[in-house]
Amino acid sequence: TLQIDPKMAMAYKKLADTERLLNREKEAISAYRNAIRFGYSTAETRYWLGTLMLEGKQTEEALKILESSNALPERLRANTAFFRRHMAELGLAILPGEHPIVPVMLYDAPLAQKFSERILEEGIYVIGFFYPVVAKGNARIRVQISAAHEMEHIDKCIAAFTKVGKELGVIK
């Protein structure tokens, strides 16, 4: 039987969309295709899309800016670690890792839908994922942490998760 890696399928779909959108030189598309083979992430996709949309000198300048300081990556790591630690302290199941896309596992599709709706009412935009986007029984809330978030933003998000989690019986 044919086995398809879901991550690669998503990456190739993104690639196809990107090729149609950009309609750029074959070399740029080839570079993007080679980069995407190493894994899919929203940040990586945006990074590559951004560099592909720029021309010569602009690309060099953009890369210099990205590589000139570790401040933003360090802040992103700190923000992510802070958020993950607090979600775990609340007793919420999160998939392990250090990446800034934090899946908060709820396992139940209707619950994930209701949770994401209630969180939005609290002013926090998150996405509820459930079948067929993820396997049945693996419904989750997807939270994207950013270096642009201030600590007050992350605290507000944690407070919203606490409030809604208690309302919906996810947090005791």
Side-chain angles (χ1 to χ4, degrees), residues 81-151:
F82 181 83
F83 181 77
R84 283 177 168 275
R85 183 175 60 252
H86 281 80
M87 291 292 100
E89 287 172 1
L90 289 172
L92 294 169
I94 57 172
L95 293 181
E98 297 178 1
H99 44 84
I101 298 173
V102 183
V104 179
M105 303 303 293
L106 297 177
Y107 304 104
D108 179 70
L111 177 60
Q113 288 175 301
K114 183 66 176 169
F115 203 103
S116 64
E117 289 170 8
R118 279 292 298 117
I119 286 273
L120 184 58
E121 291 170 8
E122 296 297 318
I124 305 297
Y125 180 72
V126 294
I127 302 291
F129 280 172
F130 38 87
Y131 181 83
V133 177
V134 296
K136 286 183 181 180
N138 283 306
R140 64 195 70 183
I141 301 295
R142 178 185 185 263
V143 182
Q144 175 89 37
I145 303 298
S146 168
H149 288 130
E150 300 290 337
M151 202 50 63

Side-chain angles (χ1 to χ4, degrees), residues 90-92 115 161-172:
L90 289 172
L92 294 169
F115 203 103
F161 264 87
T162 303
K163 179 180 178 182
V164 173
K166 287 180 179 179
E167 282 177 15
L168 298 179
V170 175
I171 298 173
K172 297 177 182 189

Side-chain angles (χ1 to χ4, degrees), residues 4-5 9 13 21 23 26 28 30 62-63 66 70 105-106 110 118 142 152 158 167 170-171:
I4 298 171
D5 178 11
K13 181 189 179 309
L21 174 69
N23 195 19
K26 287 183 180 181
S30 177
L63 290 173
L66 289 171
N70 286 335
M105 303 303 293
L106 297 177
R118 279 292 298 117
R142 178 185 185 263
E152 67 192 49
I158 293 166
E167 282 177 15
V170 175
I171 298 173

